[in-house]
Amino acid sequence: MPTQEQVLRLLETGLDYREAAARLGVPAGQAFLIATGLPADGGDTLTAEEQRRPGMPSSSTQHLVNPAAENPTGKDSVRQWLKQRAAADAQMQSAARRRDAGPGSSQDTDETDEVTDLLTRDHDRVTALLKQLQTIPGRKKGGSPAQMSRRGSIVDMLGAVLAAHEPAEQQHLWPAVRRVLGDGDALADQALEQEREGTRTLTALAGTAPDTEEFDDLAEQLSSRLRRHVAFEDSVFAELRAALSPDERSALGRNLRRARDAAGRRPADRQGTAETDP
């Protein structure tokens, strides 16, 4: 522990507290405390006597309190340590082997033709997959090869769900929104642009290896865009329920279900949904 004399001697040579603290191997706030006997948080009103203490600067000392934050997970050595720890944890490895990348089963398995209920269940599948994508560590968080591969599989499943969901919406939902809602054109245009953004991100993910940091960045972008899109559509569904009768919503749902099921029978790939214009 440096002494008050050592700190004050360095200050007399023209060094500031940060420089003096670096020489002595202590934080700047601690060097100030040693020299003056006062904390560097600036929280107290100093008396005239305290202001005359040796080592008291003329300006605020708040900047001496908290050193610059450093993210240790950005270092390769820390990432390697995390990987080694994960590989040596038998319980963690066992849990990873048992994890199923597929979404959980729905609590309500009754079929429905009501269009907003039908599409909300698709949203629930997307949300379940996004939660798993967020939970399973990728390269940036020291994920194992098996975990990173599983993240790639989840992205594939998201692409398969959206490959059936979005064309059916484009064929039936958004034309109905344009027809029955006062601001339907603006809502449909906004939704379709969001879908195109998601498609572009899925296409980029399709060409990116799951064991790369680029994949992690794109997966985070996809999650953010899909969550925003789901929330936007849910708000449109509320307006649609108010504008259409139950029979109209059921008829629309039956048409949408047929289109979705037909699209779902076509082979899916890592490219995600087809990018189509309205």
Side-chain angles (χ1 to χ4, degrees):
M1 174 73 67
T3 65
Q4 183 185 49
E5 181 181 0
Q6 289 174 311
V7 177
L8 293 175
R9 187 183 302 122
L10 289 174
L11 294 175
E12 290 172 357
T13 66
L15 299 181
D16 61 20
Y17 271 106
R18 289 190 183 278
E19 294 167 329
R23 293 275 187 94
L24 297 170
V26 296
Q30 185 176 352
F32 178 83
L33 179 63
I34 292 171
T36 65
L38 298 170
D41 59 8
D44 296 328
T45 301
L46 301 180
T47 65
E49 181 180 353
E50 289 172 333
Q51 292 175 353
R52 290 193 295 269
R53 290 185 183 184
M56 284 297 298
S58 58
S59 59
S60 170
T61 60
Q62 186 69 43
H63 65 287
L64 302 177
V65 179
N66 297 316
E70 180 180 359
N71 179 11
T73 60
K75 298 180 179 179
D76 289 338
S77 59
V78 175
R79 292 177 183 169
Q80 188 61 33
W81 178 82
L82 289 172
K83 291 180 181 179
Q84 293 172 351
R85 290 280 295 180
D89 191 319
Q91 290 183 330
M92 182 182 295
Q93 293 299 314
S94 176
R97 287 191 295 270
R98 292 195 303 270
R99 183 185 293 275
D100 182 3
S105 59
S106 173
Q107 295 295 320
D108 183 2
T109 58
D110 292 339
E111 294 296 332
T112 178
D113 286 330
E114 205 281 339
V115 63
T116 62
D117 287 344
L118 187 68
L119 292 175
T120 297
R121 292 186 183 183
D122 282 354
H123 288 177
D124 290 343
R125 296 186 185 98
V126 169
T127 300
L129 288 167
L130 290 177
K131 286 181 179 178
Q132 292 205 38
L133 187 63
Q134 184 178 18
T135 300
I136 300 173
R139 181 172 183 82
K140 285 187 172 182
K141 295 184 178 179
S144 68
Q147 289 169 325
M148 289 184 281
S149 176
R150 191 169 293 116
R151 281 167 59 82
S153 297
I154 292 174
V155 170
D156 290 343
M157 282 186 276
L158 281 167
V161 171
L162 296 175
H165 175 88
E166 290 182 353
E169 284 188 334
Q170 292 167 10
Q171 185 177 354
H172 296 287
L173 175 68
W174 300 119
V177 169
R178 293 181 189 276
R179 187 176 65 252
V180 304
L181 297 184
D183 56 348
D185 285 337
L187 293 173
D189 289 344
Q190 184 174 349
L192 291 167
E193 177 55 31
Q194 290 176 355
E195 290 175 4
R196 283 190 286 268
E197 288 179 352
T199 294
R200 286 191 286 268
T201 307
L202 270 171
T203 300
L205 275 166
T208 305
D211 59 352
T212 62
E213 293 188 6
E214 182 183 1
F215 184 94
D216 290 351
D217 292 337
L218 287 169
E220 186 64 30
Q221 290 178 25
L222 180 67
S223 295
S224 176
R225 285 171 174 164
L226 288 181
R227 292 182 192 280
R228 184 175 70 248
H229 182 59
V230 165
F232 175 80
E233 286 196 349
D234 287 346
S235 68
V236 175
F237 294 168
E239 294 188 44
L240 203 60
R241 282 192 290 268
L244 294 176
S245 69
D247 288 344
E248 289 172 324
R249 296 199 303 272
S250 292
L252 180 59
R254 285 191 292 272
N255 290 333
L256 192 141
R257 179 195 291 279
R258 285 192 290 268
R260 188 197 64 180
D261 292 347
R265 287 193 292 270
R266 292 196 291 270
D269 57 27
R270 286 290 303 275
Q271 297 301 316
T273 62
E275 186 171 343
T276 58
D277 291 324

